Amino acid sequence: MTKFSRTALAGLLISLSSAALADQPTVTNAWARATAAGQPNGAAYVTLTTTSPDTLVAASTPVADKAELHTTLDDNGVMKMRPVEAIALTPGTPVTLAPGGYHVMLFGLHQPLTPGATFPLTLNFKSAPATTVTVTVGSPGGMTAPAMHPAMHMDGMAGHGAMSH
Ligand SMILES: [Cu+2]
């Protein structure tokens, strides 16, 4: 029994270490709030899960001039955004970027983010290679990923956000 246990333990350690070498944070629920025509900035959100310690250090997207990592602080009842240099990722503790908390700030949108549209977002990590995910645009005041609100995909939104000039 002892020999079997040692063999099993060794096998477990090998699989753990190889998983650590190949670690890539998993990105789910990539979404953004819709923006109105002329609104210069937007925000994107993701949920990050990792199997080894890592750090989200930057983001970029072709739909905006610049993307910054931001957090939201409650300053005596006034919600204020602040840039952060990094967002720490801890194994076993998913980090959810969401309205009122961490977000990827999108400065200088090249066009309005219309509900149902998608765009690529590249995330850079301290250890893992960069990864590019597809962000789905939700509703203007949405608080969660659009996939959690199937009713939103109705055709009533057709034409919303169209340029009026
Ligand atoms: Cu912000």
Side-chain angles (χ1 to χ4, degrees):
M1 285 299 282
T2 303
K3 185 174 184 181
F4 172 78
S5 299
R6 280 181 183 162
T7 306
L9 180 60
L12 179 64
L13 289 175
I14 288 168
S15 51
L16 282 175
S17 57
S18 56
L21 284 173
D23 175 65
Q24 179 74 41
T26 303
V27 184
T28 54
N29 277 339
W31 68 286
R33 270 182 169 170
T35 60
Q39 189 177 331
N41 306 325
Y45 311 96
V46 294
T47 296
L48 296 157
T49 309
T50 184
T51 54
S52 68
D54 208 334
T55 308
L56 178 64
V57 293
S60 60
T61 175
V63 302
D65 290 337
K66 185 182 177 188
E68 269 186 9
L69 304 179
H70 275 195
T71 189
T72 309
L73 301 173
D74 184 341
D75 185 359
N76 288 323
V78 180
M79 302 304 276
K80 293 181 176 178
M81 300 190 300
R82 290 279 185 278
V84 290
E85 288 192 5
I87 297 174
L89 307 178
T90 307
T93 308
V95 174
T96 300
L97 281 62
Y102 286 126
H103 54 279
V104 177
M105 195 78 196
L106 307 176
F107 287 110
L109 290 171
H110 300 160
Q111 60 192 45
L113 302 179
T114 57
T118 60
F119 62 87
L121 177 70
T122 300
L123 300 172
N124 299 89
F125 301 97
K126 190 175 181 182
S127 300
T131 186
T132 299
V133 297
T134 299
V135 177
T136 302
V137 180
S139 58
M143 292 299 288
T144 56
M148 296 177 187
H149 296 285
M152 211 181 61
H153 296 287
M154 293 187 304
D155 293 328
M157 297 300 279
H160 181 87
M163 303 294 280
S164 58
H165 56 278

